[in-house]
Amino acid sequence: MTTRSEPEQGRSDPGLDAIMSERRHLINLAYRLLGSMTEAEDAVQETYTRWCAMSRQQQDAIASPGAWLTTVAGRICLNLLGSARARRETYVGEWIPEPLPDGTVADPADRVTLDESVNMAFLVVLESMTPAERVAFVLHDVFCHSFAEVAEIVGRTPAACRQLASSARRRIRASQPSATPAAQPTGVVRDFKQAWEAKDIDALIGLLDPDATAIADGGGLATTFLHPIEGSEQIARAWVEIARRRPGNMTFLERTVNGQPGLVAQQDGVVVTVFAFEVAGDRIRHIWVVRNPDKLRRWTTGWGASPCAL
């Protein structure tokens, strides 16, 4: 990347420090917009590249560098979302957002805030939105930007952006399970793991919503079921079959997946599958299985991204 002249030896550049302090916000925004940490990092890198391509005079003329970075990152993500739809039409099997592990990362600027806006169920609903709906909703409802600011990114009027966000909210509400007494998701997932390892079909069926669905993403790179499995009995039988075929060197472990209780399968100590769950009441409503090795890099090698050098 193009660099600006170095500040005097031993002295920091306040302007540079302010710009780099926006990185975590941009990473958080881009991941929610794209559902892929790899693509989010690329979008943020491109954002900083465009900043560095300007002269110092042009940079100094920008009243709010943070707002400028957010606008540019939002537009880059909007363009990527449009092209992603075309790419996913040829994707082998189902496409599931990239799951994120909990824990510390190499650089705090790369840490994604794990809240309800990054759980797998929420991200899957975001995938059903149009690119403009997704950008308008995430920027306004999740990151509290005004519709005037959203309009600058989406290229529509504030009123149109308000309608986009409203449409996105309806999608969110329609996807939410009806209000039922909530169990502890950790306990439900733990019971599921135990029943799975015991190959207890009846126990598994009892832990699954009758209309539960299981969806797998192998990306054509890992053997998995290509089509969603629907119904508690069908899922239970499929999971027992998985347990029967499990290699002797594979173990199932409880882990946090996108801030929610989940499971991982490790083979020779390496994560080969991540299982995310949506629990409604005391039953599992959805299971998402990610086996695409490209989406599991952060589970096997950690968070290797570093801030771009300005």
Side-chain angles (χ1 to χ4, degrees):
M1 179 184 296
T2 304
T3 60
R4 71 166 67 162
S5 59
E6 295 294 330
E8 293 180 24
Q9 186 70 25
R11 295 179 60 185
S12 63
D13 181 344
L16 175 59
D17 293 342
I19 289 297
M20 290 311 301
S21 70
E22 297 292 330
R23 179 177 171 82
R24 185 178 179 188
H25 166 73
L26 297 175
I27 287 287
N28 272 273
L29 173 65
Y31 175 70
R32 286 162 175 79
L33 289 178
L34 299 171
S36 164
M37 193 63 188
T38 301
E39 291 182 355
E41 289 172 341
D42 288 345
V44 173
Q45 182 75 19
E46 174 61 21
T47 300
Y48 279 112
T49 297
R50 295 186 186 185
W51 172 267
C52 294
M54 296 189 296
S55 67
R56 183 60 179 265
Q57 183 178 10
Q58 290 173 316
Q59 293 171 356
D60 291 342
I62 295 173
S64 175
W68 186 94
L69 291 169
T70 296
T71 298
V72 172
R75 288 172 179 167
I76 291 171
C77 290
L78 181 62
N79 290 335
L80 286 173
L81 284 171
S83 61
R85 289 202 159 206
R87 292 198 307 273
R88 289 167 194 171
E89 287 180 0
T90 60
Y91 193 82
V92 179
E94 301 288 331
W95 192 94
I96 297 174
E98 181 182 337
L100 296 183
D102 199 0
T104 58
V105 297
D107 187 337
D110 294 317
R111 188 178 297 124
V112 170
T113 303
L114 298 177
D115 58 21
E116 65 277 2
S117 68
V118 291
N119 70 52
M120 192 61 71
F122 190 87
L123 290 176
V124 168
V125 178
L126 292 181
E127 285 296 317
S128 70
M129 299 177 185
T130 67
E133 282 178 338
R134 185 167 184 168
V135 172
F137 175 79
V138 169
L139 281 166
H140 181 267
D141 286 45
V142 179
F143 288 91
C144 302
H145 288 277
S146 70
F147 284 118
E149 293 170 316
V150 176
E152 286 289 319
I153 295 171
V154 179
R156 305 193 187 186
T157 66
C161 292
R162 188 184 300 275
Q163 289 299 316
L164 289 169
S166 178
S167 175
R169 283 187 217 107
R170 287 194 293 271
R171 293 179 188 262
I172 295 289
R173 287 194 295 267
S175 72
Q176 292 176 337
S178 57
T180 55
Q184 287 292 331
T186 301
V188 176
V189 171
R190 180 174 295 128
D191 291 344
F192 183 88
K193 173 180 178 290
Q194 293 172 351
W196 183 14
E197 292 176 322
K199 306 180 185 66
D200 188 336
I201 288 182
D202 291 336
L204 287 170
I205 292 174
L207 290 164
L208 291 159
D209 184 277
D211 297 321
T213 61
I215 300 174
D217 179 348
L221 303 174
T223 304
T224 188
F225 50 92
L226 289 177
H227 305 290
I229 303 175
E230 299 180 349
S232 56
E233 184 174 347
Q234 290 81 354
I235 294 172
R237 293 188 182 281
W239 255 245
V240 168
E241 185 61 25
I242 292 172
R244 286 175 179 159
R245 295 182 179 183
R246 178 179 68 171
N249 60 348
M250 180 176 288
T251 57
F252 298 122
L253 303 171
E254 295 179 47
R255 292 290 185 267
T256 298
V257 181
N258 283 59
Q260 298 291 315
L263 300 173
V264 301
Q266 284 189 349
Q267 196 163 356
D268 292 328
V270 177
V271 173
V272 294
T273 312
V274 171
F275 303 85
F277 298 83
E278 180 184 30
V279 177
D282 59 353
R283 301 282 185 94
I284 293 170
R285 187 170 180 240
H286 293 294
I287 305 175
W288 295 280
V289 183
V290 180
R291 298 201 66 207
N292 184 341
D294 290 341
K295 295 184 179 182
L296 299 180
R297 290 187 298 110
R298 286 170 181 78
W299 294 83
T300 56
T301 61
W303 297 64
S306 60
C308 57
L310 293 181

